[in-house]
Amino acid sequence: MNPIIVSRLRRDASFSGEHIRFAATVRELKNLSQGQGTALKLLAEGDQDDAALAAAVTTADGEAGLLRWHMLFRRLNTSGLIEHAVQVDGDVTARLYPVGRGSTLPVAAPAGPVRLSRFAEARVVDGTLTLRASGHHLAVELMPRATGLLGELATWNTGTPAPLLRLFATAGLLAPGGPDEDLETTERSYAQWHPADLAFHSRTRFPATVGGYGGTYPLGDRFPPEPVSPPPSGLRTVALPVPDLDEIAATEPSFTEILERRGSTRAHDDETPITLAQLGELLYRSLRRRGTMTGSDGQRLANRPYPSGGSVHELEVYPLVTACEGLPAGLWHYATDRHELELVAEPGKATDVLVRESRNAAMMETDPQVVLLVTARFGRVMWKYETVAYPLVLKHVGVLYQTLYLVATAMDLAVCGLGGGDAAAFATASGRDPLLEGTVGELVLGSRPRTEG
């Protein structure tokens, strides 16, 4: 076995004349020599080793043409236009390719023991096992005969062939340091990150390392956009009174006072619970649908009191009521377009789990009067957005939290946002498919205790 590194033009590129085209980009190559043109045609056809490329250049340009070719080949690598693979007995075992923007120039194989970084992740991409490191713009495909490397590289070892190590090191897949100085556990910049958290952060905050950043419509050619509001689905409905916003504005404290008073209250006045009118006012002022419009892409958009990227407004709120004057207990859904509540589930074991978990999360001594369960209809966002889709949902949860906090403070209600929740428990209680609509936030709400200022 004699592994060697071979190269080819990146998979989404083509060469013709003096131009390399890839994606929506055209790279012009001026004054190509005959040998350079021949070598580029070979790279466009498939994997070539350095000897074959050098022979093509020297045949046409002589030995003097090799330096110019090496300089051009390096520029193509630094522009991310070349893929590299390890070939054994004519068969490719691993391939390095770009998934973002940056150089594909292979680095030297590290000396001494090596192992996989704990930030490396393996997944199936287009039928091939693919390795990526968080925050890196390159990936390595592993063919079946090379998958045993993953087990070998799980611990520090010295037996991996150098050509494979070059590909892994170039893609950032190897741990820095060594068995006696493992930087991933001794350096704070590495140690403080859980691999899943760093992968999420890197994917969404380093656009040069990923594709599909922004509004790419990944599902646009397969599914229609979801409707702006979910269809009515409750067991029965309760109409909510519409508050007089002009009257409220004339008597309410100033915004500065509300902002300064805002805080989390983890106790409720059990003798005088929140009322239906108060719950309705909070929901109306915080997230009612004020209007709709059609975007240039054909998706129906909404206008609500809080901001939403692209005006998609994928968030829904399900009040889980244990004590509310004028409203029976149960799991309800707030219909933002009709300003009414729909009963989703009667009180029972499934809703009891949600109440208990919220009570524990808020560290309350008694059950919260209302739990506002915030869900996302994921398709509203993921139809348009790709890399930024889920972080956009979380941003929306944050602005909705603050909106609910400020309105509740203005109304002198007790509110407390929770740091986590159980999407599986909500799916059981509501019957909703958690991959289509699942909880992404929770707040407890109720009347403010008399001892609270």
Side-chain angles (χ1 to χ4, degrees):
M1 184 179 75
N2 183 28
I4 62 171
I5 290 183
V6 294
S7 307
R8 74 180 187 188
L9 206 60
R10 60 184 290 168
R11 61 195 62 190
D12 58 348
S14 62
F15 170 71
S16 60
E18 294 186 338
H19 299 89
I20 294 179
R21 291 176 169 83
F22 64 99
T25 303
V26 178
R27 176 72 181 270
E28 185 176 2
L29 304 174
K30 296 181 179 180
N31 303 317
L32 288 177
S33 69
Q34 182 180 346
Q36 288 174 329
T38 301
L40 285 170
K41 288 179 182 178
L42 290 174
L43 288 171
E45 292 172 358
D47 293 311
Q48 310 291 332
D49 62 23
D50 288 342
L53 294 171
V57 172
T58 55
T59 298
D61 301 343
E63 294 289 338
L66 275 179
L67 178 59
R68 290 187 61 204
W69 164 248
H70 288 152
M71 293 174 62
L72 174 60
F73 191 53
R74 185 178 182 87
R75 289 201 304 271
L76 296 177
N77 270 291
T78 55
S79 299
L81 293 173
I82 304 296
E83 296 183 3
H84 302 279
V86 171
Q87 202 175 75
V88 178
D89 299 330
D91 294 326
V92 169
T93 60
R95 185 179 300 279
L96 175 79
Y97 72 99
V99 291
R101 303 189 302 274
S103 172
T104 55
L105 189 67
V107 302
V114 295
R115 70 163 173 82
L116 274 178
S117 166
R118 70 186 185 94
F119 300 111
E121 59 180 12
R123 64 180 57 183
V124 175
V125 180
D126 296 329
T128 303
L129 186 65
T130 302
L131 301 181
R132 285 201 62 187
S134 297
H136 213 281
H137 66 285
L138 300 174
V140 172
E141 294 176 330
L142 286 185
M143 307 310 153
R145 65 184 298 181
T147 54
L149 279 173
L150 297 182
E152 295 176 11
L153 288 172
T155 58
W156 297 100
N157 77 89
T158 58
T160 306
L164 283 166
L165 289 183
R166 292 188 68 188
L167 264 58
F168 277 51
T170 306
L173 292 167
L174 300 179
D180 299 323
E181 191 177 358
D182 186 353
L183 299 184
E184 289 188 344
T185 58
T186 60
E187 290 289 332
R188 180 169 183 171
S189 58
Y190 292 106
Q192 68 184 358
W193 284 97
H194 187 282
D197 292 332
L198 184 58
F200 180 74
H201 175 66
S202 301
R203 171 176 164 80
T204 60
R205 299 305 307 175
F206 293 86
T209 68
V210 293
Y213 207 83
T216 58
Y217 300 94
L219 301 180
D221 60 347
R222 298 169 57 194
F223 303 100
E226 290 195 1
V228 65
S229 293
S233 58
L235 301 174
R236 65 177 185 272
T237 61
V238 172
L240 296 170
V242 177
D244 187 330
L245 296 184
D246 291 334
E247 180 180 336
I248 291 171
T251 59
E252 199 165 69
S254 70
F255 175 76
T256 299
E257 182 179 346
I258 293 169
L259 194 61
E260 291 301 310
R261 282 175 45 200
R262 187 217 58 80
S264 296
T265 301
R266 294 175 171 83
H268 298 160
D269 183 354
D270 294 331
E271 295 182 3
T272 310
I274 190 173
T275 67
L276 176 65
Q278 288 174 314
L279 177 59
E281 179 181 331
L282 176 77
L283 296 172
Y284 183 88
R285 296 175 62 181
S286 300
L287 69 153
R288 77 186 185 282
R289 199 176 79 186
R290 299 188 294 200
T292 60
M293 66 216 83
T294 301
S296 58
D297 53 13
Q299 186 179 29
R300 290 291 290 171
L301 308 175
N303 179 291
R304 292 183 185 176
Y306 65 91
S308 176
S311 297
V312 296
H313 279 294
E314 78 288 355
L315 300 184
E316 303 288 329
V317 168
Y318 289 74
L320 174 56
V321 176
T322 63
C324 178
E325 183 181 337
L327 181 66
L331 178 62
W332 299 81
H333 169 249
Y334 176 59
T336 61
D337 55 336
R338 304 185 304 277
H339 187 52
E340 64 181 22
L341 293 173
E342 306 171 320
L343 182 62
V344 175
E346 300 280 1
K349 292 182 179 179
T351 59
D352 288 345
V353 171
L354 291 169
V355 173
R356 182 174 64 253
E357 290 181 346
S358 298
R359 172 178 172 171
N360 292 339
M363 297 178 291
M364 298 178 66
E365 296 181 358
T366 59
D367 288 344
Q369 294 171 8
V370 178
V371 182
L372 298 178
L373 298 156
V374 182
T375 71
R377 297 167 59 220
F378 300 112
R380 286 285 296 169
V381 179
M382 294 176 179
W383 181 82
K384 177 179 180 179
Y385 298 103
E386 191 172 349
T387 302
V388 299
Y390 194 72
L392 193 59
V393 170
L394 300 184
K395 290 179 174 69
H396 296 161
V397 174
V399 295
L400 178 58
Y401 265 38
Q402 177 71 333
T403 302
L404 288 165
Y405 258 100
L406 295 178
V407 175
T409 301
M411 295 177 62
D412 201 30
L413 295 173
V415 64
C416 178
L418 305 183
D422 189 337
F426 174 80
T428 299
S430 66
R432 305 295 193 257
D433 183 338
L435 296 182
L436 295 176
E437 181 181 2
T439 47
V440 288
E442 296 83 12
L443 305 94
V444 293
L445 174 74
S447 56
R448 185 180 293 273
R450 297 170 189 175
T451 56
E452 294 283 344

